[in-house]
Amino acid sequence: MRKSVHQLIVAILIVVVPEMGLTGEMLFSGKTMGTTYRIKIVGDHLGDQEQWQALIDKRLDAVNQSMSTFIADSEIGRFNRFEKIDAPFSISNGFLSVMLAAKRIYQDTDGAWDGTVRPLVNLWGFGTGQMTGRIPSDDDVKTILPATGFYLITISEKGFLMKKSSRVTLDLSSIAKGYGVDDIATALKQNGCTRFLVEIGGEVYASGKKENGDSWKVGINTPRKDAPIDQIYKVVELSDKALATSGDYRNFFENKGKTYSHVIDPRTGYPVKNGVVSVSILSDTCMVADGLATAVMVMGAEKGLDLVNRLENTESLIVVSRSKGSFENIYSKGFTNFEYGKH
Ligand code: ADP
Ligand code: MG
């Protein structure tokens, strides 16, 4: 009897202590970029929740105003309608930093990631609007390919872009969520917050430690088309690290028994089909993690792994589908250092 009362007191203390104001936490959630976001901040004297929310809203609005293809007068929307060749198109500092990082990803991945892939994405029916499920002809692909290629855009560090072809357009949807995560993370840090988790549509950045001093634990989804949306495949521990995952299990269409991925190989113009069902990348920034995740989907397991193992502070888990629905997990050199329960 005495023992259980004692246990009860200990349990109450454990539950109550964090709520007595030693360390507080705040949660924020909502919709952005056609998906959802969740943010958790931890710390002493966090202040007013509404002020943090206003900061988050302001930053998300700015990212959308810059990079959303759904907003007609966004920077990207205006650039896509700009048809002059070799004429400067002025861009904001934020957009410039995204374009410079994008160029690095394009070069590092030998063009497997290409931010000008949009006409091909549209051709395959994955653009804005309803998925068409129609398979284009080889001629259609051949006609559109020359309108794509990141090299068709010149980036000037003075703050402008130039087109080498009037038809070239930008689609940064595969790095926009990651960029949004990084942008919020920067804003939180600038305002004195060092312990937080930011997530937009499954792309994550974790700063510092949780309220109990542990690293943040983040789940990677099971890459199966029929798996429940929140089923967890692996858990990683993050502290001052980003995690992004790209997969072919959510966004695809079927035609005559074949499935077509929304990830397109920009060099051929065709959806990728290399057995890779999911790629998770750990990196220092979420934008790079996001872009590399898409790129490794295109490059395939062997070349993708090779690239990740060459890049500093970058790790990956590549999941490949084998016969009868089984999976093979392919780990980069240091990935298991982050896997929960593996070290
Ligand atoms: P998700 O949006 O499911 O997280 P990704 O981050 O992998 O997936 O981004 C996929 C989107 O990126 C596609 O819908 C398309 O707009 C665009 N995309 C497809 N293939 C490429 C590619 N090779 N390089 C850059 N962007 C791509
Ligand atoms: Mg991506």
Side-chain angles (χ1 to χ4, degrees):
M1 180 64 191
R2 277 183 74 97
K3 202 174 164 210
S4 64
V5 169
H6 181 72
Q7 276 174 343
L8 191 68
I9 292 170
V10 172
I12 288 171
L13 277 176
I14 292 168
V15 175
V16 170
V17 167
E19 286 175 3
M20 287 193 333
L22 290 178
T23 308
E25 67 169 54
M26 283 182 191
L27 296 168
F28 306 87
S29 62
K31 293 205 164 119
T32 188
M33 301 182 187
T35 181
T36 55
Y37 75 84
R38 278 178 303 179
I39 297 164
K40 181 173 181 174
I41 64 177
V42 168
D44 310 326
H45 316 296
L46 287 175
D48 183 10
Q49 173 130 10
E50 278 170 25
Q51 267 177 1
W52 287 111
Q53 185 68 62
L55 176 77
I56 292 163
D57 290 346
K58 195 173 139 206
R59 300 299 283 238
L60 288 175
D61 277 353
V63 172
N64 278 303
Q65 194 55 43
S66 178
M67 294 175 68
S68 170
T69 48
F70 294 93
I71 300 175
D73 71 347
S74 67
E75 278 193 288
I76 217 171
R78 286 186 292 106
F79 177 76
N80 286 348
R81 289 193 303 276
F82 183 78
E83 290 194 332
K84 290 187 190 138
I85 295 176
D86 290 331
F89 179 91
S90 293
I91 55 172
S92 65
N93 287 338
F95 200 56
L96 176 63
S97 68
V98 172
M99 287 301 286
L100 292 171
K103 187 176 173 184
R104 262 309 280 281
I105 302 172
Y106 170 73
Q107 289 171 337
D108 283 349
T109 64
D110 293 324
W113 183 89
D114 189 325
T116 66
V117 77
R118 185 177 178 75
L120 293 165
V121 173
N122 290 341
L123 180 68
W124 285 94
F126 292 109
T128 44
Q130 238 10 54
M131 231 184 264
T132 60
R134 193 183 70 88
I135 299 165
S137 71
D138 292 347
D139 278 346
D140 289 343
V141 174
K142 269 196 207 119
T143 315
I144 296 218
L145 260 184
T148 66
F150 205 72
Y151 67 92
L152 293 171
I153 300 173
T154 309
I155 306 167
S156 165
E157 303 219 11
K158 290 188 184 127
F160 60 86
L161 305 177
M162 287 197 301
K163 292 187 179 187
K164 290 194 187 112
S165 155
S166 60
R167 291 201 292 158
V168 70
T169 55
L170 278 171
D171 167 15
L172 299 179
S173 53
S174 66
I175 55 170
K177 284 181 283 176
Y179 173 66
V181 167
D182 290 338
D183 191 68
I184 298 284
T186 306
L188 293 176
K189 285 181 186 168
Q190 279 167 351
N191 285 275
C193 189
T194 53
R195 297 162 70 187
F196 57 82
L197 191 72
V198 179
E199 181 255 339
I200 302 179
E203 322 301 18
V204 176
Y205 182 83
S207 174
K209 306 271 184 184
K210 287 201 298 193
E211 56 278 35
N212 63 1
D214 287 352
S215 294
W216 299 93
K217 291 184 188 61
V218 179
I220 296 172
N221 287 119
T222 302
R224 241 181 246 288
K225 297 179 170 86
D226 52 5
I229 201 139
D230 53 359
Q231 196 179 90
I232 288 173
Y233 187 63
K234 297 277 171 197
V235 176
V236 290
E237 290 190 289
L238 303 178
S239 182
D240 300 328
K241 264 296 190 227
L243 168 75
T245 298
S246 191
D248 79 345
Y249 50 99
R250 296 262 163 77
N251 211 339
F252 63 95
F253 71 80
E254 278 176 358
N255 188 311
K256 299 200 180 100
K258 282 191 185 172
T259 56
Y260 295 85
S261 166
H262 71 144
V263 176
I264 312 281
D265 188 332
R267 298 156 304 188
T268 63
Y270 287 81
V272 292
K273 199 153 189 62
N274 52 24
V276 176
V277 289
S278 160
V279 177
S280 297
I281 302 277
L282 290 164
S283 182
D284 290 340
T285 75
C286 200
M287 174 166 58
V288 168
D290 201 0
L292 286 178
T294 304
V296 173
M297 289 287 301
V298 176
M299 297 170 89
E302 202 178 321
K303 284 195 175 137
L305 179 70
D306 192 53
L307 170 67
V308 170
N309 279 335
R310 275 185 284 122
L311 293 174
E312 281 196 10
N313 301 325
T314 311
E315 301 295 342
S316 65
L317 167 61
I318 305 171
V319 184
V320 180
S321 154
R322 298 292 184 212
S323 61
K324 295 191 189 122
S326 67
F327 289 146
E328 183 188 350
N329 298 324
I330 299 172
Y331 295 94
S332 66
K333 281 180 194 153
F335 188 89
T336 45
N337 295 334
F338 295 90
E339 198 176 333
Y340 177 55
K342 285 286 165 79
H343 52 95

